[in-house]
Amino acid sequence: MISSQKEQVDTTPMAKSLWVSLVLLVFLNSQIPSSQAQQEYVNNKQLDCDSGVTYNATLGNLCNGVSRSCNSYLTFRSISPLYNTPSSIAFLLNSTPTAIAKANNISDVAPIPDNTMVIVPVNCSCSGRYYQHNASYVLKQRGETYFSVSNNTYQALTTCQAIEAQNTYDKRNLLAGMNLNVPLRCACPTRKQEDSGFKYLLTYLVALGESVASIGGLFGVDEQSVLDANELSSTSIIFYFTPITVPLRKEPDPIKVASPPPPSPPPPPPTTASSADSSSSKKWVIVGVTVGAVLILLLGLSGFLFCYRRRRRQRKSQLPSLAPTSTETTKKTTDSGTTQSWSISSEGIRYAIDSLTVYKFEDLQKATSFFSEANKIKGSVYRATFKGDDAAVKIYKGDVSKESKEISILKRLNHTNITRLSGFCVHKGDTYLVYEFAENGSLDDWLHPNDRSKNKFKNSSSTLNWRQRVQIAHDIADALNYLHNYTNPPHIHKNLQSGNVLVDGNFRAKVSNFGLARELDDEEGGFQVTRHVIGTQGYMAPEYMENGVITPRMDVFALGVVILELISGKEAIVGDEKLLSSCAREVVEGENVREKLRGFVDPSFGDEYPLDLVYSMAQVAKRCVEQDINSRPGISEVLTTLSKIQSSTLDWDPSDELDRSRSVSQVSEAR
């Protein structure tokens, strides 16, 4: 276990320099033996950015949990004016405003008071040896460093060592505009924690005056569980401004305390065994060791905020204004009597104005019956009707700069199997995007229906038949072939899944959701690498998950998974976290293939499917989901094969299959 130090710590001289703090830190750490852990406490090593020493604890939490991916939580203190809304915090930490608002029981658009502790839900996944949640950060100005980004901007949710390990930029030559990959510290419960009833782990930033016991009490967790989660003993020291892992039995409630208790110097550590026993339950945060570093951090943050505000005012004064529509004035009076400007806040929106329709908010209200529950499709998407034509309206709260990539891509695409973006509206700081409407929802709604999706489509039937499923597979391949081979530059969708495939009134597929799409640079030979791995489990290609490799073959892999869903009706993850992609080889190879295939086919088909063509489709899917990227076919080859299967399907008569099934039954009865 990590042991405490008996030397007295002087907290009086508040102006100690950082190098003195680090020297003392090294001395303290040299006295601490290592041991086995659930997750090793960082122990203030996040400040040691220049010694060149590598500490496992600073690189992340070990990937030693039951699951390689899980829901997790971070904490973050709001800072005005940069990160004081759910939208701005979500943008920084790669979460969603809605999830943050729900977790903290606040509005998803209202400002958050300064220094409020905010709970941030994230997805935590293994990346090599360590768990992490990936975010990205563009350096704003000269002088920012891995140290300032990790400790100032991200409030010690990451470390300078972890950022340096996952970026290629020389730490001595960082420039404004560089895009950093930021691995945020998180973890999934171990088997021991799950057996104890813990379902989630939360990364908490230790505040001045807090102890392990007080942190546990904040979340209703006993002290020993927090100690165990961080490989700490009852006499261990925890440090101000370091992350600590808190195990939770349920989703965290909003934190009631908006700011930490008033600072008070900790009592000096006792020198006798009896006094050590009497004070072991307090485990005070040590201030003296880090005060020099904290002072530097605060000074740096103040300078950064000053420069940022100044540059923000200059940038706003230079932005071109957008003339309002004929029925809307530049200033609009709200119900409370105040005025609010009608403006465009996103570079992506401004760029898209020339080719998209600018809708009036009043027209959107009428078209959606004032965004009624009856018109809600899913989430923040509503059905709208403009002069007899249906559309889908998606609401984005606040600035939509993260979606500007999707806007800029969609306005350049023109394919019948890709959903079309037709227009937008900006009202009171929220953005409304208007898309082509798909009457029959998503493919996921049909293959994996829930109570809401079973009867909400006007052309709904009990299930998709074989011909419809082959057509949908062909449509998806056609859209990907267009993206990979007929756009300039070529594009990769990166997030193909059944939920991102829409089905129109004629049961034709339309690929949607291009928020993660990426252009391919011909100079890189269609091969790119990223450390910012994000996607949906079950659909992500292995080379992308493990090494961040991005090629068109990752879309081919995802298409293979969707084809397997179309054949089987199963989800991308089957049962106890078994991947559907791993079933393909089992089904089409070895003995008793026909029997295995019949057992794999969606039972909703009954006997109305051509087994030979199902086998051909399964073979296509198997090749698409090969682990080796070089063994997968290109999308043009997949499209050619699916075209042949579709042609054969059109010639197939379902009654022939029914007659064949009856004949087999009669022979069996005769025997």
Side-chain angles (χ1 to χ4, degrees):
M1 285 293 191
I2 299 176
S3 62
S4 66
Q5 300 306 307
K6 306 304 181 185
E7 293 80 11
Q8 180 168 334
V9 179
D10 184 8
T11 61
T12 304
M14 296 300 290
K16 273 189 175 182
S17 64
L18 177 59
W19 69 269
V20 172
S21 300
L22 292 176
V23 169
L24 180 57
L25 172 64
V26 171
F27 172 76
L28 290 173
N29 290 340
S30 66
Q31 306 298 314
I32 300 176
S34 61
S35 62
Q36 296 179 349
Q38 289 180 327
Q39 297 299 344
E40 184 180 357
Y41 173 57
V42 72
N43 203 34
N44 230 14
K45 296 185 179 77
Q46 84 281 359
L47 299 179
D48 187 7
C49 296
D50 297 315
S51 69
V53 179
T54 301
Y55 308 101
N56 287 334
T58 60
L59 295 179
N61 290 323
L62 289 175
C63 189
N64 60 1
V66 176
S67 301
R68 292 182 59 84
S69 178
C70 65
N71 293 327
S72 185
Y73 297 91
L74 311 175
T75 58
F76 186 87
R77 287 196 177 274
S78 57
I79 301 175
S80 295
L82 296 179
Y83 307 114
N84 68 335
T85 64
S87 295
S88 58
I89 295 174
F91 184 83
L92 179 70
L93 302 182
N94 190 22
S95 182
T96 63
T98 303
I100 292 176
K102 181 179 179 182
N104 296 276
N105 194 25
I106 58 177
S107 165
D108 56 0
V109 294
I112 303 171
D114 249 8
N115 203 33
T116 299
M117 187 68 78
V118 179
I119 295 173
V120 182
V122 297
N123 179 264
C124 187
S125 300
C126 288
S127 179
R129 292 184 58 199
Y130 302 101
Y131 280 116
Q132 65 187 48
H133 172 71
N134 294 306
S136 62
Y137 177 76
V138 178
L139 295 175
K140 303 295 188 300
Q141 62 180 1
R142 185 178 180 181
E144 286 187 282
T145 64
Y146 289 145
F147 182 94
S148 68
V149 170
S150 60
N151 291 287
N152 288 5
T153 307
Y154 283 92
Q155 301 182 5
L157 289 174
T158 185
T159 65
C160 50
Q161 297 93 335
I163 296 181
E164 185 174 359
Q166 298 198 23
N167 287 275
T168 58
Y169 305 124
D170 188 325
K171 64 183 178 182
R172 297 174 182 82
N173 295 298
L174 297 180
L175 302 173
M178 289 181 172
N179 193 346
L180 301 183
N181 301 305
V182 183
L184 302 181
R185 198 176 188 89
C186 63
C188 298
T190 62
R191 175 62 65 188
K192 181 178 179 181
Q193 287 170 328
E194 284 199 353
D195 291 344
S196 299
F198 294 110
K199 298 180 179 180
Y200 310 100
L201 295 179
L202 176 144
T203 304
Y204 181 82
L205 181 65
V206 179
L208 186 65
E210 289 187 311
S211 65
V212 173
S214 68
I215 293 170
L218 197 59
F219 296 95
V221 182
D222 63 280
E223 179 182 4
Q224 190 60 48
S225 296
V226 180
L227 292 173
D228 292 343
N230 296 273
E231 199 191 18
L232 296 170
S233 72
S234 60
T235 56
S236 295
I237 296 171
I238 62 171
F239 295 86
Y240 171 47
F241 213 74
T242 57
I244 192 169
T245 300
V246 181
L248 304 174
R249 289 187 169 85
K250 61 183 182 65
E251 295 181 352
D253 295 323
I255 299 177
K256 306 300 183 185
V257 182
S259 58
S264 59
T271 56
T272 64
S274 60
S275 59
D277 292 338
S278 66
S279 63
S280 63
S281 62
K282 295 187 179 295
K283 292 160 286 293
W284 288 96
V285 176
I286 301 304
V287 177
V289 177
T290 58
V291 66
V294 172
L295 286 174
I296 291 176
L297 296 182
L298 293 176
L299 289 173
L301 182 58
S302 299
F304 173 67
L305 291 176
F306 173 80
C307 294
Y308 180 87
R309 288 177 178 175
R310 184 176 180 181
R311 293 180 64 191
R312 189 179 184 187
R313 286 195 297 268
Q314 292 174 346
R315 188 181 301 113
K316 286 182 69 176
S317 66
Q318 296 169 357
L319 290 179
S321 60
L322 177 70
T325 56
S326 58
T327 60
E328 194 151 2
T329 59
T330 304
K331 293 287 185 178
K332 189 168 187 177
T333 303
T334 63
D335 294 337
S336 61
T338 60
T339 60
Q340 181 167 352
S341 297
W342 190 89
S343 62
I344 300 300
S345 58
S346 166
E347 291 290 343
I349 286 290
R350 284 194 294 271
Y351 178 69
I353 287 175
D354 293 339
S355 62
L356 298 178
T357 301
V358 180
Y359 286 88
K360 303 171 188 175
F361 182 68
E362 291 82 358
D363 291 341
L364 294 185
Q365 286 182 308
K366 294 176 183 177
T368 59
S369 297
F370 292 87
F371 299 97
S372 67
E373 190 67 21
N375 281 50
K376 179 179 285 191
I377 299 174
K378 182 185 293 185
S380 60
V381 183
Y382 293 81
R383 180 173 179 168
T385 303
F386 299 97
K387 298 179 180 179
D389 294 328
D390 290 329
V393 178
K394 186 171 184 179
I395 305 173
Y396 290 102
K397 294 294 185 180
D399 182 78
V400 297
S401 56
K402 286 187 70 175
E403 287 73 33
S404 62
K405 179 192 294 185
E406 178 174 7
I407 296 169
S408 63
I409 288 176
L410 282 177
K411 64 174 286 192
R412 298 197 302 266
L413 302 182
N414 183 20
H415 192 277
T416 186
N417 298 122
I418 293 178
T419 189
R420 182 173 57 87
L421 176 67
S422 62
F424 75 98
C425 170
V426 177
H427 179 72
K428 293 185 178 180
D430 294 338
T431 306
Y432 301 77
L433 299 183
V434 182
Y435 293 88
E436 175 183 13
F437 183 71
E439 294 91 329
N440 284 312
S442 73
L443 180 59
D444 180 67
D445 290 329
W446 285 91
L447 297 180
H448 322 300
N450 52 36
D451 292 336
R452 178 180 175 84
S453 64
K454 283 180 180 178
N455 299 309
K456 70 177 182 179
F457 308 124
K458 67 180 183 181
N459 293 327
S460 64
S461 58
S462 58
T463 185
L464 296 172
N465 61 42
W466 172 253
R467 283 200 177 104
Q468 289 169 334
R469 299 192 191 204
V470 173
Q471 181 67 65
I472 287 171
H474 183 274
D475 289 343
I476 300 170
D478 201 359
L480 293 180
N481 187 51
Y482 169 76
L483 289 174
H484 293 181
N485 299 315
Y486 293 95
T487 57
N488 186 21
H491 289 74
I492 302 175
H493 187 276
K494 278 190 65 189
N495 194 23
L496 182 67
Q497 54 173 296
S498 58
N500 289 336
V501 176
L502 303 181
V503 183
D504 70 10
N506 296 317
F507 290 93
R508 301 295 300 271
K510 293 181 180 293
V511 177
S512 68
N513 196 347
F514 282 74
L516 299 181
R518 175 174 291 204
E519 296 178 357
L520 280 179
D521 190 342
D522 291 337
E523 294 180 359
E524 297 176 349
F527 178 91
Q528 299 178 17
V529 178
T530 182
R531 293 183 184 273
H532 190 63
V533 175
I534 183 171
T536 304
Q537 190 174 8
Y539 297 91
M540 291 186 289
E543 71 277 1
Y544 176 63
M545 291 185 63
E546 296 169 7
N547 301 308
V549 176
I550 300 174
T551 74
R553 301 297 170 94
M554 68 182 295
D555 281 350
V556 173
F557 183 95
L559 173 60
V561 177
V562 174
I563 292 175
L564 291 172
E565 289 183 274
L566 287 165
I567 293 172
S568 67
K570 303 180 188 298
E571 297 191 28
I573 300 179
V574 185
D576 298 330
E577 297 188 350
K578 181 178 182 180
L579 298 180
L580 184 60
S581 58
S582 66
C583 300
R585 188 178 296 277
E586 300 172 7
V587 171
V588 300
E589 293 183 353
E591 300 179 351
N592 303 319
V593 171
R594 296 181 72 87
E595 287 75 14
K596 290 190 295 184
L597 196 57
R598 288 189 185 279
F600 184 71
V601 169
D602 190 341
S604 66
F605 282 138
D607 293 323
E608 295 188 7
Y609 61 89
L611 189 61
D612 292 339
L613 294 181
V614 172
Y615 176 79
S616 298
M617 281 270 283
Q619 283 281 12
V620 172
K622 181 188 79 69
R623 293 188 61 204
C624 289
V625 298
E626 289 285 355
Q627 295 290 301
D628 181 7
I629 186 174
N630 296 317
S631 298
R632 291 177 216 145
I635 190 61
S636 57
E637 181 181 346
V638 175
L639 179 60
T640 300
T641 305
L642 289 175
S643 296
K644 295 177 181 177
I645 295 174
Q646 183 187 32
S647 178
S648 299
T649 296
L650 294 176
D651 295 333
W652 166 70
D653 187 350
S655 62
D656 294 341
E657 199 68 25
L658 184 59
D659 291 339
R660 186 180 300 111
S661 175
R662 288 173 177 171
S663 298
V664 171
S665 297
Q666 291 172 357
V667 170
S668 299
E669 291 174 0
R671 289 179 178 176

